[in-house]
């Protein structure tokens, strides 16, 4: 039994899934930060219909089944899709069944969990601090970098940990946007699904254990963020 | 001289004010809650816009709705102190003051003059209410403002600290020689600090309101004194009979 698990852990296919997942997360996490923080700020402080529509769109991946979100994105970004066709024709960018598709799936799944804590943090006393900063002669960029970001750092960190955990475990959207092509787009989560489907329990177990360990690590970091 | 003439619709009444405050003097804004005092201060700082009006500090025009001019808060060069959240909680006191000025030495000098230089490395959460408000005054003064706007800065403090800070504010008036507009509900504070007192009631100046409130307060105090008087008689030591004083 342990031999089978050790063999599974040393399998090059498993190593590929792990390195692909790390590669996807290395792109998805900065994107979650760079898009999620300004988006949370806009949703927390903005007014009007556009903001309300954006608010609903950001929540959709939490409310809708992941398969439905993935299917919607596939229709939108596929080769014949409303956005996918012009992107491929003019920029040569293929989003579906590729690594960019997996990154998009991870960002889509994690975004609500990144945005919500920031959105909550930029309400309340921060309004007064932003006003104070402007009266003290500072512009929008300085205020954002020196007041908003440090003031919301715990919420940003919490959002990033939660979003990373969610993006790591993403299956539904990744399956439809990435295609689960062995040796190309089979991330750790998808490889667990594949292994269970083919009865390779040690392989599924090793990968599930790895995800569990990362999740425990993220949970501990989240708890530490709350205490600091 | 800070001059402002403005109107702004606020719920069920209109704020309609014409004020002037010379450099080196304190104009106290008082009046019942919801009478438009804070809104007026926010308009002067540039944080809110009036429906119509004109604001100028000397020759410098800050707002002229007729000409479509409205300078941003950062362009007006005012110092502003709120009742709360006047310091950035994630910065130390020294960093808070340095945020307002590049002249770090002047910032430290201000902290020393307000007796809080020893708290330079402390964050606002580690300071008392009085220390925080002293720090907020230092931050507001650090950029050498052209006018100082204070929105009930002492109202959350105990009586002794409030009294000390009033003295500090009088010192600021002498040292910085700029117009100071101070919002307060405290009648004694208004009388002690104000070179002028402007009482607002439902958005309009109401000089009778302040006089009426002072008269009411004096009456209450006389009732309290009268009630305390018999108790005082009983606690007085009595001289033994036949003793001569």
């Amino acid at each position: 039994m342990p031999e089978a698990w050790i063999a599974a852990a040393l399998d090059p296919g498993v190593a590929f899934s792990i390195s692909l997942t790390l590669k996807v997360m290395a792109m998805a996490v900065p994107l979650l930060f760079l898009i999620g923080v300004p988006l949370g700020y806009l949703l927390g402080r903005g007014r009007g219909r556009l903001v309300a529509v954006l608010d609903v769109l950001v929540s959709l991946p939490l409310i809708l089944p992941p398969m439905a979100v993935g299917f919607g994105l596939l229709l939108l970004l596929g080769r014949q899709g409303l956005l996918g066709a012009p992107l491929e024709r003019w920029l040569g960018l293929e989003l579906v069944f590729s690594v960019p598709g997996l990154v998009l799936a991870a960002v889509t799944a994690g975004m609500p969990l990144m945005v919500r804590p920031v959105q909550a943090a930029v309400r309340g006393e921060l309004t007064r601090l932003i006003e104070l900063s402007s009266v003290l002669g500072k512009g929008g960029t300085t205020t954002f970098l020196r007041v908003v970001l440090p003031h919301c750092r715990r919420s940003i960190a919490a959002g990033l940990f939660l979003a990373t955990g969610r993006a790591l475990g993403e299956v539904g959207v990744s399956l439809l946007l990435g295609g689960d092509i062995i040796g190309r787009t089979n991330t750790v989560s998808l490889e667990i699904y594949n292994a269970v489907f083919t009865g390779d329990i040690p392989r599924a177990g090793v990968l599930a254990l790895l995800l569990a360990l990362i999740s425990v690590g993220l949970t501990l970091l989240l708890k530490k963020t709350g205490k600091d | 001289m800070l001059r402002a003439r403005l109107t702004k619709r606020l719920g069920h009444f209109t704020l309609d004010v014409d004020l002037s405050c010379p450099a080196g003097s304190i104009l106290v804004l008082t009046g019942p809650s919801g009478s438009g005092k804070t809104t007026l201060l926010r308009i002067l700082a540039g944080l809110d816009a009036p429906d119509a009006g004109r604001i100028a500090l000397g020759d410098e025009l800050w707002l002229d709705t007729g000409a479509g001019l409205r300078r941003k808060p950062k362009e007006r060069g005012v110092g502003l102190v709120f009742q709360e959240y006047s310091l950035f909680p994630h910065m130390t006191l020294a960093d808070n003051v340095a945020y307002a000025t590049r002249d770090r030495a002047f910032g430290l000098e201000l902290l020393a003059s307000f007796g809080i230089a020893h708290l330079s490395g402390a964050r606002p959460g580690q300071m008392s209410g009085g220390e925080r408000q002293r720090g907020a005054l230092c931050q507001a003064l650090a950029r050498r403002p052209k006018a100082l706007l204070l929105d009930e800065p002492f109202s959350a403090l105990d009586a002794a600290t409030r009294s000390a800070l009033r003295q500090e504010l009088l010192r600021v008036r002498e040292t910085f020689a700029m117009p100071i507009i101070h919002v307060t509900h405290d009648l004694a504070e208004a009388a002690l600090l104000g070179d002028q007192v402007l009482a607002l009631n439902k958005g309009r100046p109401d000089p009778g309101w302040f006089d009426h409130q002072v008269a009411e307060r004096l009456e209450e105090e006389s009732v309290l004194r009268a009630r305390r008087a018999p108790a005082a008689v009983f606690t007085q030591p009595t001289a033994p009979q036949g003793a001569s004083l």
Side-chain angles (χ1 to χ4, degrees):
Chain A
M1 180 87 170
E3 290 83 12
W5 281 60
I6 292 166
L10 297 174
D11 188 291
V14 167
F16 170 79
S17 289
I18 294 170
S19 75
L20 174 66
T21 304
L22 289 176
K23 190 174 160 187
V24 169
M25 294 315 292
M27 288 185 264
V29 172
L31 283 174
L32 281 167
F33 176 81
L34 291 173
I35 301 170
V37 174
L39 192 57
Y41 183 80
L42 176 72
L43 296 183
R45 300 186 57 79
R47 299 280 176 273
R49 277 188 193 166
L50 182 67
V51 172
V53 170
L54 267 177
D55 201 5
V56 173
L57 283 177
V58 167
S59 303
L60 279 184
L62 273 186
I63 302 160
L64 288 176
M67 285 293 185
V69 175
F71 181 62
L73 287 173
L74 190 62
L75 288 181
L76 190 71
L77 301 167
R79 288 188 153 182
Q80 309 299 321
L82 202 64
L83 281 177
L87 278 176
E88 191 177 339
R89 197 178 312 131
W90 292 323
L91 299 174
L93 194 64
E94 270 185 69
L95 278 177
V96 294
F97 307 141
S98 63
V99 173
L102 291 173
V103 174
L104 183 67
V107 170
T108 305
M111 195 55 78
L113 296 173
M114 178 71 228
V115 166
R116 293 296 170 220
V118 178
Q119 194 178 351
V122 299
R123 291 174 176 150
E125 74 178 66
L126 185 63
T127 304
R128 194 47 73 82
L129 299 177
I130 290 170
E131 288 178 351
L132 182 65
S133 179
S134 69
V135 169
L136 289 172
K138 305 300 181 204
T141 310
T142 306
T143 300
F144 189 76
L145 294 175
R146 293 191 61 192
V147 176
V148 176
L149 282 186
H151 187 77
C152 302
R153 65 191 185 282
R154 284 179 196 163
S155 302
I156 291 170
L160 211 51
F161 294 144
L162 288 169
T164 303
R166 174 73 186 84
L168 263 177
E170 219 310 297
V171 172
V173 188
S174 301
L175 190 64
L176 286 166
L177 278 186
D180 192 16
I181 303 164
I182 304 298
R184 251 182 81 188
T185 59
N186 54 327
T187 57
V188 169
S189 298
L190 291 173
E191 192 54 23
I192 294 172
Y193 169 79
N194 295 336
V196 171
F197 203 71
T198 56
D200 191 347
I201 301 305
R203 191 183 186 91
V206 164
L207 291 171
L209 192 66
L210 179 73
L211 281 190
L213 284 173
I214 295 172
S215 299
V216 169
L218 287 172
T219 309
L220 292 175
L221 280 173
L222 189 63
K223 277 192 173 293
K224 192 174 180 315
T225 309
K227 278 181 193 166
D228 283 346
Chain B
M1 169 88 82
L2 175 63
R3 294 188 62 89
R5 195 186 64 244
L6 52 93
T7 60
K8 183 179 175 71
R9 182 83 195 147
L10 293 174
H12 59 284
F13 65 83
T14 299
L15 178 68
D16 186 353
V17 178
D18 186 349
L19 64 83
S20 59
C21 180
S25 77
I26 299 177
L27 167 65
V28 169
L29 279 178
T30 190
S33 297
S35 58
K37 305 182 294 293
T38 295
T39 304
L40 174 55
L41 209 68
R42 290 175 61 82
I43 291 172
L44 293 174
L47 298 172
D48 278 342
D51 298 330
R54 192 174 189 280
I55 304 172
L57 182 79
D59 299 333
E60 201 178 285
L61 198 57
W62 287 355
L63 176 108
D64 189 347
T65 51
L69 172 81
R70 186 186 164 202
R71 286 200 179 205
K72 289 178 182 170
K74 67 174 184 174
E75 294 165 349
R76 299 191 184 196
V78 297
L80 178 63
V81 179
F82 298 114
Q83 183 182 337
E84 284 178 286
Y85 307 124
S86 283
L87 291 172
F88 301 109
H90 58 279
M91 292 182 196
T92 63
L93 179 59
D95 288 342
N96 261 287
V97 175
Y99 189 78
T101 179
R102 286 181 185 160
D103 189 350
R104 214 173 168 93
F106 178 59
L108 293 173
E109 197 182 302
L110 276 170
L111 291 177
S113 75
F114 277 82
I116 50 173
H118 62 289
L119 296 169
S120 292
R123 289 211 158 84
Q126 300 166 311
M127 294 156 60
S128 71
E131 289 164 348
R132 273 199 296 272
Q133 291 310 77
R134 279 189 176 91
L137 270 173
C138 289
Q139 188 193 51
L141 295 170
R143 64 186 309 228
R144 294 186 169 89
K146 297 169 191 162
L148 186 61
L149 309 173
L150 308 168
D151 189 8
E152 300 191 55
F154 311 146
S155 62
L157 307 176
D158 62 80
T161 311
R162 212 160 50 223
S163 170
L165 274 163
R166 283 175 194 153
Q167 295 308 313
E168 309 249 19
L169 185 58
L170 290 172
R171 188 166 58 85
V172 167
R173 180 185 64 178
E174 302 309 319
T175 314
F176 286 83
M178 63 185 157
I180 299 174
I181 300 193
H182 179 88
V183 171
T184 183
H185 275 108
D186 187 324
L187 298 174
E189 193 167 290
L192 281 166
L193 294 176
D195 297 301
Q196 303 174 68
V197 176
L198 173 61
L200 284 182
N201 198 359
K202 291 183 180 166
R204 289 168 192 278
D206 182 358
W209 183 88
F210 185 67
D211 296 340
H212 178 73
Q213 294 294 312
V214 170
E216 223 171 51
R217 171 82 174 270
L218 289 173
E219 197 179 316
E220 277 170 14
E221 283 187 3
S222 71
V223 170
L224 284 172
R225 260 193 227 106
R227 285 200 176 170
R228 217 166 43 193
V233 169
F234 288 120
T235 55
Q236 287 291 319
T238 48
Q241 274 194 346
S244 60
L245 294 170

